[in-house]
């Protein structure tokens, strides 16, 4: 089974409030269906979540009660987006159902607490794809907060122990700097613990590479046991399908150590 996160920057126009990129989502759904792989999809919120969440400081938790209607507002919008995503998956003959994390999980000071995952497991067991997404969750310490699609990927990784993981983004992979502003930025084809240290100590470390470091850390956490975790460009038609079909494509691949290697070394 392969776990896929569709980034909000691919399935929405992040600069325009509530702009769903329906054609892109339809193509990605058909690439997933054509691959013939068993897949579980999680998606980001893009302009259905970030714009209003930022305006009302939702990620800081409860500051004042004017934020409360905004929580329901964002939750409404991301559920709407998720229905649109599911619509396209179903149009590609994938039986999928949207599962709202804010309605079944909570957080504790930003940490996702998922005590009951029975329904998600049972859906998948029945051959129905549970589709989770970045959402506003109630938080035991802060009142509420944002749970990202990436946090959900780590949870789903623990539950389903997938063979591989793919993050679908709007760039070819991780770069040493922001390729949109720095022409000297270089694609990082492979992430290991060593590359992470090099980036961390590199002279170009700034906010953008800080984001890169976080993403690398998350990718490395998920590739335990030799599982491949890839970051690939979903805006290039056919690239996700090629990756799912085992072809060599431009991307960033995180590789962990296999348990058998670790045993040999130890
Ligand atoms: C964000 O989810 C959720 C909200 C803002 C409510 P993600 O962080 O996974 O979304 P993208 O992929 O960056 O858009």
């Amino acid at each position: 089974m392969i776990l896929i996160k569709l980034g909000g920057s691919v399935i929405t126009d992040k600069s325009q409030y509530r702009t769903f990129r329906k054609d892109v989502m339809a193509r990605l759904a058909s690439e997933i269906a054509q691959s013939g792989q068993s897949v579980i999809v999680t998606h980001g919120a893009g302009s259905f979540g970030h714009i209003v969440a930022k305006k009302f400081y939702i990620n800081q938790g409860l500051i004042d009660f004017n934020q409360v209607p905004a929580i329901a507002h964002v939750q409404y919008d991301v559920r709407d987006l998720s229905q649109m995503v599911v619509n396209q998956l179903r149009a590609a003959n994938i039986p999928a159902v949207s599962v709202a994390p804010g309605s079944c999980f909570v957080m504790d000071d930003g940490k996702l607490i998922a005590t009951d995952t029975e329904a998600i497991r049972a859906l998948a067991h029945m051959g129905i794809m549970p589709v989770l997404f970045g959402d506003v969750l109630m938080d035991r310490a802060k009142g509420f907060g944002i749970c990202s699609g990436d946090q959900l990927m780590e949870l789903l990784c623990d539950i389903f122990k997938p063979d591989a993981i793919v993050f679908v983004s709007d760039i070819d992979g991780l770069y040493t700097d922001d390729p949109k502003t720095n022409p000297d930025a270089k694609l990082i084809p492979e992430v290991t613990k060593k590359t992470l240290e090099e980036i961390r100590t590199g002279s170009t470390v700034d906010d953008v590479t800080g984001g890169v470091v976080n993403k690398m850390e998350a990718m490395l956490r998920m590739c335990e046991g030799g599982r491949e975790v890839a970051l690939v460009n979903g805006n290039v038609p056919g690239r996700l399908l090629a990756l799912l079909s085992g072809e060599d494509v431009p991307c960033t691949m995180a590789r962990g150590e296999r348990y058998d290697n670790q045993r040999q070394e130890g």
Side-chain angles (χ1 to χ4, degrees):
M1 195 275 278
I2 300 178
L3 202 55
I4 297 182
K5 183 195 168 189
L6 302 176
S9 57
V10 186
I11 59 167
T12 79
D13 176 345
K14 269 198 147 174
S15 64
Q16 304 280 330
Y17 175 58
R18 280 185 60 102
T19 309
F20 180 48
R21 298 179 72 203
K22 185 178 168 190
D23 295 351
V24 174
M25 185 58 228
R27 175 176 52 74
L28 292 170
S30 116
E31 291 186 30
I32 291 169
Q34 279 179 63
S35 76
Q37 300 275 5
S38 155
V39 164
I40 290 188
V41 165
T42 291
H43 64 84
S47 58
F48 288 68
H50 286 283
I51 296 173
V52 176
K54 191 171 172 197
K55 186 169 167 200
F56 289 91
Y57 310 101
I58 288 181
N59 210 24
Q60 292 185 24
L62 182 64
I63 301 166
D64 72 70
F65 283 94
N66 289 331
Q67 293 170 292
V68 173
I71 297 169
H73 180 159
V74 174
Q75 287 185 324
Y76 178 87
D77 282 348
V78 290
R79 278 155 187 69
D80 231 12
L81 170 64
S82 197
Q83 282 301 91
M84 296 181 213
V85 168
V86 163
N87 233 338
Q88 297 308 319
L89 290 166
R90 285 168 43 80
N93 285 323
I94 299 170
V97 66
S98 177
V99 176
S103 308
C104 50
F105 305 139
V106 293
M107 295 197 295
D108 193 356
D109 205 15
K111 187 179 180 313
L112 179 58
I113 311 284
T115 42
D116 187 358
T117 55
E118 186 182 342
I120 292 175
R121 289 173 205 267
L123 281 166
H125 189 69
M126 195 58 73
I128 299 167
M129 182 200 286
V131 175
L132 279 73
F133 51 89
D135 197 5
V136 181
L137 266 63
M138 295 301 108
D139 187 304
R140 290 173 186 166
K142 300 195 303 179
F144 49 82
I146 288 174
C147 173
S148 72
D150 287 16
Q151 280 171 280
L152 293 160
M153 287 289 279
E154 294 200 48
L155 171 74
L156 293 171
C157 182
D158 279 351
I159 298 178
F160 293 109
K161 314 274 182 245
D163 302 308
I165 296 183
V166 182
F167 287 89
V168 180
S169 169
D170 63 344
I171 46 170
D172 282 351
L174 293 178
Y175 285 80
T176 51
D177 201 348
D178 186 350
K180 288 170 185 158
T181 52
N182 182 354
D184 294 330
K186 301 230 168 4
L187 181 71
I188 304 166
E190 190 171 275
V191 169
T192 59
K193 279 187 189 149
K194 191 165 162 270
T195 3
L196 177 64
E197 284 320 309
E198 280 164 14
I199 290 282
R200 225 200 282 269
T201 52
S203 56
T204 57
V205 172
D206 56 15
D207 281 349
V208 174
T209 45
V212 171
V213 167
N214 289 341
K215 194 86 183 177
M216 275 190 185
E217 283 174 342
M219 288 173 80
L220 283 171
R221 275 197 298 276
M222 285 185 257
C223 65
E224 93 174 1
R227 177 190 295 128
E228 283 186 343
V229 183
L231 182 67
V232 70
N233 195 337
N235 282 335
V236 181
R239 197 164 281 179
L240 176 62
L241 174 58
L243 181 77
L244 294 177
S245 310
E247 291 171 31
D248 262 345
V249 296
C251 68
T252 294
M253 193 71 85
R255 284 181 219 276
E257 290 147 25
R258 290 185 172 277
Y259 287 129
D260 44 4
N261 287 350
Q262 282 169 357
R263 268 203 300 273
Q264 275 167 15
E265 283 161 16

